[in-house]
Amino acid sequence: MATAAAHRTARTDADGARTAVGDTAEYERAFDAAVAADERIEPRDWMPDAYRATLVRQIAQHAHSEIIGMQPEANWITRAPSLRRKAILMAKVQDEAGHGLYLYSAAETLGTGRDELLDKLHSGRQKYSSIFNYPTLTWADVGAIGWLVDGAAITNQVPLCRCSYGPYARAMVRICKEESFHQRQGYELLLALSKGTEEQHAMAQDAVNRWWWPSLMMFGPPDDESQHSAQSMEWKIKRHSNDELRQRFVDICVPQAESLGLTLPDPDLRWNEERQQHDFGTIDWTEFWEVLKGNGPCNEQRITQRRNAHAEGAWVRDAAAAYAAKHTGETGAKQA
Amino acid sequence: MTATVPATAALALGDDALVLSHRLGEWAGHAPVLEEEVALANIALDLLGQARVLLSMAGDEDELAYLREERAFRNLQLVEQSNGDFAQTIARQLYFSTYQQLLYTELAGSDGPFAPLAAKAVKEVAYHRDHAELWTLRLGDGTETSRERMQRACEALWRFTGEMFQPVEGLDADWAGMEAQWLRSMTDVLGRATLAVPEGPRTGAWSAGAGRQGLHTEPFGRMLAEMQHLHRSHPGASW
C-alpha cells in the first residue's frame, strides 16, 4: 500500500510541478516500487527516460509491423477465391490498420506523434517485424500467415496485456482478441485446403514449409544474444524470454499441424518425455540477421510501397489540413 | 407471399456492389492516411456484404462472381473505372453512393423482394455518401492542387453518370425523380466544395451507358482476369 501511495504522490508531483526540479531519486524509487507491485504506469506518471524510450521503440516497431503487415495479405484481396474468403481477408487487413491506429495512439501518450514515427519507419531508422519481408506466393500463404505468423504474434503479445505501461497493455487486450480470430481463420483456411484437392493440399503444405522457420524467428534471437531483454523484463514490459515463448509456440503448433494433416518441416522435431516439451531443430540465425539487415526477399519492396503510399497521399493530407484550417471557426461555432 | 426475384435486377445491383467493392479493396496498403485504410475497407466490406446477398438471390454467389464472362456482368460502367488518384476514387464514390442511397431508399419503402436488403443497406450507404461528401469538400476546398485534382476527377467520371438512371427491369422506382434529386444533390455538394458542376454529356457517344446490357470498358476485363484467375484455376474446388 505504501508503494501505491508513494507512486501516486510522484504522479501528482510530476503532473503538477513538471517544470520544478523534482527529487528524481524519490520518483525513481516510487516508479520501481509501482512496477514491483504490478501497478500500471500511466502517461502522466513520472518514468525513467530509458523506460519511455524503450516503450516508444517497442510500440512503434509493433505499429509499423501492423501497417507493413497489411501488404503481404492485401496482395491476395483481389484474387481471393471465394466471396466469403474475400470478405474475411478484407476484414483482417482492415483490423491490422486499426491495430496500427491504436498503437500509434499508445505511442503518442508517451509524447511521440505518428508523423515522427512514420518518418523514422520510412527512413529506416525504425524497424518492423522481419516476417513481413517474406513474400506471399500462393493463396495458402494467407492461411499460413494467419495460423503461424498470427499464432506466433499472439504468443508474444498475450503477456503484453499485463505490460507495466497502461495504454500499451490496454491496446494489447483488444488487439489480442482480434488476433485470435485471425489465427483461427488461418487455421480454418489451411484446413479447407488440406482437405481439398491434391493441388490444394500441396499448396497448403508448401506454404507451411516456407513460413514455419521464419515464424520461429519472430520470437527474436536466442536469449543469450537478445540485447534488450534483461532490462525490459525488469521493467515488466516483457514477461517471458524469447526462447521460452518460442518453445511455447512450438508445443502449441505440433498438435495443430497434426489435426491439419500437414507436416512441419523439421526432421528434428520430436516430443521430449523428460522435458515434457518438444525438441526442435536449429534455427538458421544467419538468415534471420540477413533479413533484419535488409537482405530479405521483400525488404525493399515493402518499404518502397509504404513510402510511395505516403508520398502520393501527401496532397490529400495537405488538403485536409488546409480545409480544416479554413473551417475551424465554423465547426467550432456549430459545435457550440 | 414469396415474391419472385427478378434476376436481372439482382444481378444489376449485386454486380454494382461486387465490382465497386473490388476496386476499393485495391486500395488496401496504398491509402493516403491510416484512417482511410480503415474507411475504404469498411465501405468495401459493406458493399461486398450487399453483393453476396444480392447475387445469392440470383444464383450461387461464387459461380456468378467467378465464372461469368465480362459480357455477362450487369454493373454500371462507373463502378468498374480504375481507382485513379484519391480524388477519382472519391468522385466515383460520391456519384455512386448518392445514387445508391436514393435507389435503396425507394426500394426499402416498397414491398418488393429487395426491401429487406435495401432497408439494411441504406443505413450503410448513408455513411458511404457522408464519407465521400466530406472528402469532396476537403479536396475541393482544400489546396489549389487538391481542387484541380477533384475537379478533373468529377469531369472525367461525369459521362458515366447518365447510365445510373436508366430503368432496370424488375425495379419499381421513380427513375426520373431520382435523377432530378441526384442532380440537385450534386449541385449542392460540388457548390459547397467550390467545384464546378461538369457540363459535358452524362453518357458517352458510343458505349457509356451500356453496362447494364453487358457492354463494359477496357479496365474491367483486367479486373475480372485478376479476380477470377485463382478460382478458375481449380475447377470444382472448395475454398
Side-chain angles (χ1 to χ4, degrees):
Chain A
M1 285 304 102
T3 58
H7 185 233
R8 268 197 299 276
T9 309
R11 181 184 303 182
T12 315
D13 289 358
D15 193 29
R18 215 165 252 285
T19 50
V21 180
D23 182 349
T24 308
E26 194 186 311
Y27 289 158
E28 193 143 16
R29 272 195 300 278
F31 170 86
D32 290 343
V35 170
D38 271 334
E39 286 176 29
R40 287 277 160 81
I41 306 300
E42 295 298 336
R44 295 191 303 176
D45 293 347
W46 183 90
M47 61 188 85
D49 290 345
Y51 176 84
R52 187 184 297 274
T54 298
L55 277 169
V56 169
R57 182 183 55 79
Q58 182 171 334
I59 297 173
Q61 178 165 331
H62 190 170
H64 299 332
S65 301
E66 296 284 355
I67 64 167
I68 295 281
M70 294 170 71
Q71 291 183 29
E73 295 183 278
N75 184 35
W76 283 93
I77 287 179
T78 54
R79 293 176 288 172
S82 73
L83 296 186
R84 174 173 168 267
R85 291 289 176 199
K86 188 173 184 166
I88 294 171
L89 182 57
M90 268 193 200
K92 179 174 193 282
V93 174
Q94 186 195 31
D95 281 350
E96 281 150 15
H99 295 173
L101 280 175
Y102 311 153
L103 289 163
Y104 285 120
S105 301
E108 211 161 329
T109 66
L110 292 159
T112 310
R114 200 202 302 178
D115 288 345
E116 184 185 333
L117 296 177
L118 285 177
D119 276 350
K120 286 186 173 158
L121 169 66
H122 298 152
S123 61
R125 281 173 295 156
Q126 281 182 342
K127 295 204 178 301
Y128 54 88
S129 175
S130 269
I131 192 75
F132 301 118
N133 289 319
Y134 290 85
T136 47
L137 301 179
T138 73
W139 169 250
D141 290 31
V142 172
I145 288 187
W147 177 44
L148 295 173
V149 174
D150 293 331
I154 294 168
T155 309
N156 259 328
Q157 290 169 5
V158 164
L160 290 175
C161 299
R162 294 187 296 125
C163 155
S164 59
Y165 187 59
Y168 190 29
R170 288 187 289 273
M172 290 317 302
V173 170
R174 185 157 172 190
I175 289 172
C176 284
K177 279 185 194 157
E178 292 179 352
E179 289 294 351
S180 87
F181 273 115
H182 296 175
Q183 195 264 354
R184 275 182 275 167
Q185 72 79 34
Y187 179 89
E188 196 250 340
L189 190 161
L190 284 178
L191 189 63
L193 293 179
S194 180
K195 291 183 183 304
T197 65
E198 217 170 288
E199 288 86 358
Q200 285 176 307
H201 181 88
M203 193 193 281
Q205 183 61 58
D206 169 62
V208 169
N209 291 349
R210 283 181 288 110
W211 287 93
W212 173 249
W213 290 105
S215 301
L216 293 190
M217 295 176 197
M218 283 176 68
F219 297 92
D223 293 346
D224 49 11
E225 287 173 45
S226 176
Q227 54 170 325
H228 301 295
S229 283
Q231 179 65 76
S232 287
M233 298 270 270
E234 206 169 292
W235 278 330
K236 295 190 182 169
I237 293 173
K238 200 176 160 112
R239 299 252 178 187
H240 307 278
S241 79
N242 294 353
D243 288 331
E244 224 179 301
L245 290 169
R246 188 167 11 245
Q247 178 70 55
R248 187 180 295 178
F249 177 68
V250 170
D251 291 333
I252 291 171
C253 286
V254 172
Q256 291 181 350
E258 273 169 34
S259 315
L260 281 170
L262 298 171
T263 312
L264 296 172
D266 178 358
D268 298 323
L269 186 65
R270 63 177 60 84
W271 179 249
N272 182 322
E273 192 59 42
E274 201 177 313
R275 291 201 304 126
Q276 288 291 300
Q277 286 174 327
H278 292 87
D279 291 335
F280 55 96
T282 313
I283 292 169
D284 180 359
W285 292 110
T286 312
E287 176 180 319
F288 173 81
W289 294 114
E290 279 302 308
V291 178
L292 197 69
K293 272 195 291 184
N295 297 327
C298 300
N299 299 57
E300 191 57 36
Q301 178 190 331
R302 300 286 185 242
I303 202 68
T304 301
Q305 179 178 327
R306 181 87 265 295
R307 280 192 204 125
N308 288 348
H310 193 73
E312 284 159 20
W315 70 272
V316 176
R317 297 188 301 275
D318 290 348
Y323 180 83
K326 283 187 215 177
H327 295 271
T328 314
E330 289 169 33
T331 318
K334 267 181 214 158
Q335 278 169 351
Chain B
M1 189 58 212
T2 46
T4 39
V5 175
T8 313
L11 286 181
L13 301 184
D15 288 348
D16 281 351
L18 177 72
V19 171
L20 186 52
S21 164
H22 185 95
R23 284 297 189 206
L24 291 169
E26 292 173 351
W27 271 103
H30 297 275
V33 63
L34 200 45
E35 283 79 356
E36 285 307 300
E37 291 285 359
V38 178
L40 295 171
N42 223 44
I43 299 170
L45 278 166
D46 284 345
L47 289 169
L48 184 53
Q50 295 168 16
R52 296 183 64 191
V53 173
L54 287 158
L55 294 180
S56 299
M57 289 168 89
D60 178 86
E61 59 174 26
D62 285 337
E63 274 180 33
L64 287 168
Y66 291 100
L67 299 176
R68 271 183 299 161
E69 300 286 337
E70 180 178 338
R71 298 276 276 107
F73 277 80
R74 292 291 176 258
N75 55 282
L76 297 164
Q77 291 181 349
L78 174 69
V79 295
E80 74 202 29
Q81 296 311 305
S82 309
N83 286 337
D85 63 3
F86 189 68
Q88 174 141 328
T89 290
I90 291 299
R92 187 182 63 195
Q93 201 65 44
L94 179 74
Y95 290 168
F96 181 75
S97 299
T98 306
Y99 150 80
Q100 209 189 16
Q101 191 180 19
L102 291 166
L103 178 60
Y104 279 16
T105 304
E106 287 221 12
L107 296 178
S110 74
D111 54 3
F114 298 107
L117 167 95
K120 180 174 179 283
V122 77
K123 293 177 198 148
E124 300 165 351
V125 174
Y127 280 106
H128 306 172
R129 202 190 70 97
D130 198 42
H131 171 262
E133 185 179 318
L134 285 170
W135 272 110
T136 302
L137 296 178
R138 289 187 195 113
L139 299 182
D141 193 15
T143 63
E144 205 47 49
T145 306
S146 70
R147 192 215 309 278
E148 267 170 41
R149 283 181 183 252
M150 193 62 205
Q151 187 68 53
R152 200 184 312 144
C154 289
E155 306 277 354
L157 296 175
W158 191 246
R159 69 195 176 93
F160 296 105
T161 61
E163 182 181 19
M164 299 191 291
F165 302 99
Q166 287 177 5
V168 174
E169 187 192 320
L171 289 186
D172 187 19
D174 173 14
W175 298 96
M178 285 197 298
E179 182 160 29
Q181 264 189 283
W182 186 87
L183 280 168
R184 271 199 299 279
S185 175
M186 286 309 115
T187 307
D188 167 54
V189 175
L190 297 181
R192 281 190 286 128
T194 72
L195 295 164
V197 176
E199 287 175 351
R202 294 189 38 242
T203 51
W206 180 69
S207 71
R212 295 285 189 232
Q213 281 79 52
L215 204 53
H216 295 280
T217 56
E218 285 188 355
F220 189 52
R222 282 174 196 282
M223 194 205 100
L224 282 189
E226 185 173 341
M227 183 174 104
Q228 296 182 336
H229 170 262
L230 177 59
H231 184 97
R232 284 180 182 259
S233 300
H234 298 262
S238 306
W239 301 93

